[in-house]
Amino acid sequence: MELILERFIKTEECTVGRLSIINRTFDEYLGREDKEFICDTLEPPIKKMGKDPDYVRQFKSAMPPGRYPVVIRHSESFDLCLPLVVGVPKMTSKQVFFQIGNSVEEIEVGLIPGAYRGDGKMVASRNMIFTLKKLIFQAKARGEGVFLTVVRKIKDER
C-alpha cells in the first residue's frame, strides 16, 4: 500500500497536508493509478537552516520529502499502538508517529491525521488513527508493504 502526503499549507505555526492512498490496478488490458483521499494532516512548521533547503531541524519540524516504510508500533507516550514512519532522516529518533491530537503544540515528533478546521487545529484525529491502523493491518494481511511518500507541493514563501 502506498500512502502519499502532499502538503498544501505552510505557515510559521504549522504545515498542513492531504494524505491519500494510491490504488493501482493492473490487469492484462488496463493499468491505472487512482488517488483516494483519506484525511488531512497537521505537522510542525518546516524548519530550514543553513544553505541546504532540505535541512530539517531535529525537533518540532515537518518530515523532509522522501519515501518511508510504515509499521505499527506501541507508543509509550500514548500507551497505544500507532502507525510509525521509520527511517526519517534528520529527525532525532529517525521515527515519526501518526499521533492523536488537535494542535501543533501537542505534537512530540510526529504528525496528526484528521480533519483540518482551518485555524491550525485538527478534529477527529482519534477516529482517523483507527482508520489508518485498519488500512495498514489489511495491507499487511495481504502481504503488502506499507510506504509513505512525502511530496513537496508548496514553494517556500520566504
Side-chain angles (χ1 to χ4, degrees), residues 65-95:
R67 185 171 188 257
Y68 311 108
V70 178
V71 296
I72 302 288
R73 285 280 171 358
H74 185 265
S75 165
E76 292 183 21
S77 301
F78 293 95
D79 196 27
L80 280 174
C81 288
L82 297 172
L84 174 68
V85 183
V86 294
V88 181
K90 303 175 186 168
M91 301 298 262
T92 314
S93 65
K94 305 276 188 211
Q95 304 180 52

Side-chain angles (χ1 to χ4, degrees), residues 6-130:
E6 299 171 298
R7 296 179 175 133
F8 66 97
I9 296 174
K10 182 181 93 171
T11 68
E12 293 294 321
E13 293 80 38
C14 67
T15 305
V16 182
R18 289 189 174 97
L19 186 66
S20 302
I21 289 182
I22 301 294
N23 294 312
R24 293 185 174 101
T25 306
F26 297 107
D27 64 24
E28 105 185 63
Y29 302 107
L30 176 67
R32 65 179 227 202
E33 215 174 76
D34 296 321
K35 194 169 19 171
E36 178 185 341
F37 174 77
I38 300 175
C39 65
D40 297 318
T41 61
L42 182 66
E43 297 177 86
I46 298 170
K47 303 277 187 183
K48 295 184 181 176
M49 298 190 63
K51 295 181 180 178
D52 180 3
D54 291 325
Y55 183 86
V56 179
R57 189 181 298 175
Q58 293 186 350
F59 188 68
K60 291 284 190 178
S61 177
M63 285 187 293
R67 185 171 188 257
Y68 311 108
V70 178
V71 296
I72 302 288
R73 285 280 171 358
H74 185 265
S75 165
E76 292 183 21
S77 301
F78 293 95
D79 196 27
L80 280 174
C81 288
L82 297 172
L84 174 68
V85 183
V86 294
V88 181
K90 303 175 186 168
M91 301 298 262
T92 314
S93 65
K94 305 276 188 211
Q95 304 180 52
V96 174
F97 274 106
F98 281 84
Q99 63 184 64
I100 298 167
N102 297 314
S103 67
V104 171
E105 291 79 29
E106 298 175 37
I107 298 174
E108 291 173 18
V109 177
L111 66 152
I112 299 172
Y116 184 61
R117 286 189 351 187
D119 58 353
K121 304 284 183 192
M122 295 293 270
V123 294
S125 70
R126 181 172 295 276
N127 292 340
M128 191 47 58
I129 286 288
F130 290 111

